[in-house]
Amino acid sequence: PLRVAVLISGSGSNLQALIDAIESQQLPGVEIVLVISNKANAQGLQRALKHKLPVAYIPWKKREEAEQRISALFQLFQADLIVLAGWMRILSAGFIAQFPQRMINLHPALLPDDSSDSYTTSDGSVIPALRGLHVVERAIEAGLKVTGSTVHYVIPAVDAGPVICRAEVAIDVDETPDTLQEKLKNQEHRLIVEAVRAYAEQGRLVTSS
Ligand code: GAR
């Protein structure tokens, strides 16, 4: 089976989507072997424990130390694939380089196939590629009519790397960060499962293009 480690920082609803997909046989050959959080009180840790998954809390005081502990755990649990599902810490280039084509990230905005700063939506409008933090709020503030979510391979540049899959959502006139976050998450729960399934079926470097 494909042994997956999931990194979280918060509610873990995307982790839950993966757990549910595995338990309902929608992800054949996939197993979650470890869940790591940088927050002791992350709700996602409780979700993992409820399903008897091994969990680790790794505080993020010193990045180097934390990364060493995380990669030791990946080795110990023999993780094949690392899924960043609501992981809110930037990983060093050296750490990322240890897992080429083995780490994927879920990002709550539309990212292009290349490193360009814009993204062309399905209706042909060109919007900024929102990278970094607070992209849900920033999409509304920028007056965008559409945003979305992207699952991509992790490379040393922040929120960049070959795209596995993505999906758009409309931003309504009365949209708030909360309503938009909820719409995005609902869609992400399908998207993250789709990405892990594609990876499990096709192996490394499945991309959307
Ligand atoms: C998701 O919307 C994910 O796209 C976003 O955090 C949320 C986590 O939700 N990720 C990032 O912002 C990564 N920088 P969850 O904890 O309920 O899965």
Side-chain angles (χ1 to χ4, degrees):
L2 182 77
R3 299 173 63 83
V4 177
V6 183
L7 267 58
I8 61 165
S9 299
S11 91
S13 70
N14 285 285
L15 165 68
Q16 187 71 56
L18 289 171
I19 292 172
D20 293 346
I22 290 168
E23 290 189 349
S24 60
Q25 261 97 78
Q26 290 168 66
L27 276 178
V30 176
E31 190 183 348
I32 296 174
V33 294
L34 175 65
V35 175
I36 295 178
S37 171
N38 65 303
K39 296 277 183 196
N41 58 357
Q43 193 199 337
L45 286 179
Q46 298 308 318
R47 297 181 191 266
L49 287 171
K50 208 174 152 192
H51 293 266
K52 303 196 160 50
L53 298 174
V55 300
Y57 156 55
I58 307 281
W60 204 257
K61 273 213 181 121
K62 289 197 196 124
R63 177 163 82 175
E64 217 185 306
E65 227 168 79
E67 287 182 339
Q68 273 171 18
R69 295 175 66 186
I70 292 174
S71 58
L73 284 172
F74 288 161
Q75 284 218 1
L76 190 63
F77 285 82
Q78 298 175 342
D80 302 309
L81 173 68
I82 298 140
V83 178
L84 309 184
W87 174 255
M88 302 304 284
R89 289 291 178 272
I90 290 179
L91 299 163
S92 72
F95 179 82
I96 291 167
Q98 293 173 38
F99 311 102
Q101 294 170 40
R102 284 175 51 202
M103 198 182 318
I104 66 177
N105 179 47
L106 169 64
H107 181 70
L110 295 168
L111 299 173
D113 290 324
D114 53 23
S115 58
S116 114
D117 285 331
S118 61
Y119 177 83
T120 306
T121 64
S122 56
D123 69 358
S125 32
V126 178
I127 60 171
L130 300 175
R131 297 188 168 93
L133 291 177
H134 311 300
V135 294
V136 179
E137 291 88 339
R138 281 160 55 202
I140 296 174
E141 281 160 16
L144 303 185
K145 305 234 170 345
V146 52
T147 185
S149 309
T150 306
V151 182
H152 63 93
Y153 283 97
V154 176
I155 61 170
V158 174
D159 298 329
V163 171
I164 299 171
C165 57
R166 59 167 96 72
E168 299 181 359
V169 296
I171 301 180
D172 296 325
V173 282
D174 59 349
E175 204 78 67
T176 67
D178 283 349
T179 60
L180 183 55
Q181 179 69 255
E182 197 191 328
K183 285 205 285 199
L184 287 166
K185 280 199 190 188
N186 284 335
Q187 161 176 276
E188 288 171 349
H189 299 160
R190 288 192 301 273
L191 214 55
I192 195 71
V193 171
E194 189 190 315
V196 172
R197 184 185 297 121
Y199 189 97
E201 283 172 0
Q202 298 165 45
R204 298 173 191 185
L205 267 191
V206 256
T207 60
S208 66
S209 47

